[in-house]
Amino acid sequence: MGGAAGAVVSDWECIGINPANLGWKKNHDFSISAAIIGLSAQSGAMDYKQLQSAILNPSNAFSLEDKKMYAKVFSNAEGLNLNSNITWLTFSFKVPKVGGFAMNLSDRTFGRVKLNQNAAEIMFLGMQAPIFQDTMALPQNISQIFNNSEVGFIHYRELNVAYGTKLFGIGGTKDSSNISFYGGVGFKYLWGMGNYEMVAENNVLTGHSAFSSKYGIQYGNIQNFTPEKTSGLFSSVGNGTAFDLGLGVGIGKIKITASAIDLGKITWDKNVLIASDTLLPDTSSFNFSGINSWNLSEQASQMFNDSGLIDFKPGPAYETPLLSKFRIGFGWQVSKRMVMGADMVMPVSKNPANLSTAYIAVGTEIELATNFKFSVGVAGNSTYKFSVPFGLTLGKFFKVCELRVATNDILTYIAPGANPNISLAFSLLRFNFDKKK
């Protein structure tokens, strides 16, 4: 809802945000949806047309001028942020005097690229990067050359089971307290599908990789490494668990919520590669011409193989924390047709793909007619800058079905320019059922 969800969303929508909301009285008796898709690509380096081309035509080959341009624009603090959430199936229901229950099965993907000037130039220009002409640079470690650069990618499948209830009330009646307190918990089982991390910080390099064979990555020649073929619906290369914890208080038409989400980790134990810090090689000992398109999986051999820039070797299992966050939300039911909310989302875990600073959003949803709602807000942080989330809800078709579509930043489409956030989320099949009163 205009980017602010913590103290507003209900039913299965509160999974992964605040499970305590499942205890709200206004939740539907039963709600179900499938094939909910949310995609977002934001860049502080590329403009709208460049980002759009990278999304729609990832296999288009770069010209030399393209490579020089990308090497220049990616030499800044924020390069690229990716986020996708595909919910295959989700539902929720409530049991009187017990609380609300919810479940979803989804695929979640997060990615972040932040490069210093040397890393950007080598990524796109390869051996033609200026640093290879600098004889003073060759005795330095890669960690020093890439210092303050990080690349993070994680993709996992998640089964989340959540429960929320009203804990107790103060004043009023048993069914309608003046002040109501809520609590909730969610448990997640995780199948790790792919992970890549490379961080150069304080002149120390850490890096590792693990990918399902379904990614089709061509590793090239890596000594003593034969990728294991993963199969089945959940063809994972790692597994883990996580929890969501939530609290909330309702005072009349106002709700205040707090939650800690994605508290857990994944252990990656198949197709594991570990990077080691080495001296920057001279061009006679490695062969890398820079990436030639945005289709990176087909070019992985240039980065992973024994003659690549960074030394990758088979290694033991490793752990990565999820993108844990702490959320504080405020919601106000202004009238029957209007609700307002505000959120602050803060990173907790240190993961290259996580938020770098707190994200703040303020928004509203207004019901203009029985079958039409719209939401709008303002949001941002130091990475995403200023944005205007916007959404539409159409329903209730056949009295039970709703359709929704939203974007993280309508300004990207109205006035495209610098710092674009190309995003779209839609839910085409949502059914809500309530017992006749």
Side-chain angles (χ1 to χ4, degrees), residues 74-78 112-122 131 137 140-151 198-206 277-278 280 309-310 350:
F74 268 84
S75 300
N76 67 40
E78 293 297 337
R112 184 166 183 255
V113 178
K114 171 184 151 185
L115 305 174
N116 70 6
Q117 181 177 345
N118 290 327
E121 290 173 344
I122 292 174
I131 195 168
Q140 297 183 64
N141 278 18
I142 291 176
S143 58
Q144 296 171 286
I145 302 297
F146 286 7
N147 200 38
N148 295 323
S149 298
E150 58 184 31
V151 178
M198 184 68 63
V199 178
E201 187 176 30
N202 298 322
N203 296 323
V204 175
L205 179 77
T206 57
D277 194 7
T278 60
L280 180 70
L309 175 66
I310 298 175
K350 189 171 179 58

Side-chain angles (χ1 to χ4, degrees), residues 248-396:
V249 57
I251 307 172
K253 296 182 178 181
I254 293 175
K255 287 187 171 66
I256 302 170
T257 61
S259 61
I261 60 173
D262 292 328
L263 303 175
K265 61 186 178 182
I266 295 177
T267 300
W268 307 88
D269 56 8
K270 297 184 182 72
N271 296 343
V272 173
L273 292 172
I274 305 296
S276 58
D277 194 7
T278 60
L279 292 175
L280 180 70
D282 60 45
T283 54
S284 65
S285 60
F286 85 105
N287 181 24
F288 181 48
S289 61
I291 63 172
N292 298 308
S293 74
W294 290 113
N295 192 341
L296 299 181
S297 64
E298 292 185 355
Q299 304 169 76
S301 62
Q302 294 194 67
M303 294 177 277
F304 285 114
N305 68 32
D306 285 339
S307 60
L309 175 66
I310 298 175
D311 186 26
F312 277 95
K313 299 296 182 187
Y318 66 91
E319 297 178 346
T320 56
L322 293 192
L323 283 66
S324 307
K325 301 177 182 70
F326 181 71
R327 305 182 64 118
I328 298 174
F330 172 84
W332 176 28
Q333 189 72 47
V334 181
S335 67
K336 184 178 179 180
R337 292 180 178 269
M338 180 179 181
V339 61
M340 298 183 68
D343 264 13
M344 177 181 288
V345 186
M346 293 161 281
V348 174
S349 64
K350 189 171 179 58
N351 184 309
N354 205 352
L355 291 172
S356 57
T357 57
Y359 183 85
I360 299 173
V362 178
T364 184
E365 182 179 72
I366 299 174
E367 183 178 345
L368 296 180
T370 303
N371 292 328
F372 181 69
K373 300 177 186 176
F374 81 92
S375 62
V376 66
V378 294
N381 68 353
S382 61
T383 300
Y384 290 90
K385 311 303 181 185
F386 177 81
S387 60
V388 178
F390 182 81
L392 297 173
T393 301
L394 302 176
K396 306 173 179 176

Side-chain angles (χ1 to χ4, degrees), residues 9-21:
V9 292
S10 56
D11 298 316
W12 48 261
E13 284 187 290
C14 68
I15 290 181
I17 296 176
N18 191 330
N21 298 8

